[in-house]
Amino acid sequence: METLTQFAIEWGYLGLFVTAFVAGSIFPFSSEAVLAALIAVGLSPVGCVVAAAVGNTLGGMTCYWIGSLGKAEWIRKLGISDEKLEKAKRFLAGRGAWMAFFAFLPTIGEAIAVVLGLMRSNPRLTTFAMFIGKALRYGLIAGGMSLF
């Protein structure tokens, strides 16, 4: 993780984009720590929020795509258990693509994206809702840093 964090700091916004993409897809990683480190070294908080939110949303949409393929073995390789999938299905029941807003949630966020893919929710609306949720999360982190 330290190597990935160092890469992100050296590459700035692009590094943050890549680490956020990785964190939003299949690998557990704290892109929030990278965001905080880059803001601390002087990068624009707004630029960091945009880079992180776009990268993390595209990573989340990778989970959506895997779900849309409906291959259970791929979903299990993501580390998403049948129990997490069922929990996400109950959470999403009857609510549709707008629930992608909650894809930022720890432990269940990837499962939400996968289930939305399995359900074939509207990809544009899913992407939009997911971006809003992730941007708000990163914005709160960046805003919280300015308080200190």
Side-chain angles (χ1 to χ4, degrees):
M1 181 164 123
E2 188 174 316
T3 304
L4 194 53
T5 303
Q6 188 60 37
F7 162 82
I9 291 171
E10 289 175 9
W11 285 82
Y13 300 115
L14 178 61
L16 178 57
F17 172 87
V18 170
T19 56
F21 177 86
V22 168
S25 59
I26 58 174
F27 300 106
F29 183 76
S30 176
S31 57
E32 295 85 358
V34 175
L35 174 89
L38 290 174
I39 291 172
V41 298
L43 269 66
S44 161
V46 173
C48 286
V49 168
V50 169
V54 170
N56 206 253
T57 299
L58 291 176
M61 289 306 291
T62 301
C63 293
Y64 172 93
W65 174 73
I66 290 170
S68 72
L69 296 176
K71 297 192 181 276
E73 64 272 8
W74 288 12
I75 294 168
R76 285 188 195 94
K77 283 183 181 181
L78 290 175
I80 299 172
S81 66
D82 291 336
E83 180 183 316
K84 280 185 186 175
L85 278 177
E86 285 306 314
K87 187 176 182 180
K89 283 179 184 177
R90 286 191 304 273
F91 181 74
L92 297 173
R95 296 187 181 104
W98 283 108
M99 294 308 286
F101 174 87
F102 296 102
F104 71 86
L105 293 172
T107 67
I108 194 173
E110 290 85 6
I112 289 171
V114 168
V115 170
L116 286 168
L118 283 168
M119 295 169 52
R120 307 285 195 274
S121 69
N122 180 313
R124 288 183 184 181
L125 188 54
T126 299
T127 303
F128 177 74
M130 189 181 294
F131 175 79
I132 295 300
K134 291 175 182 278
L136 285 173
R137 179 191 73 201
Y138 286 118
L140 287 172
I141 293 166
M145 289 192 60
S146 67
L147 297 174
F148 298 103

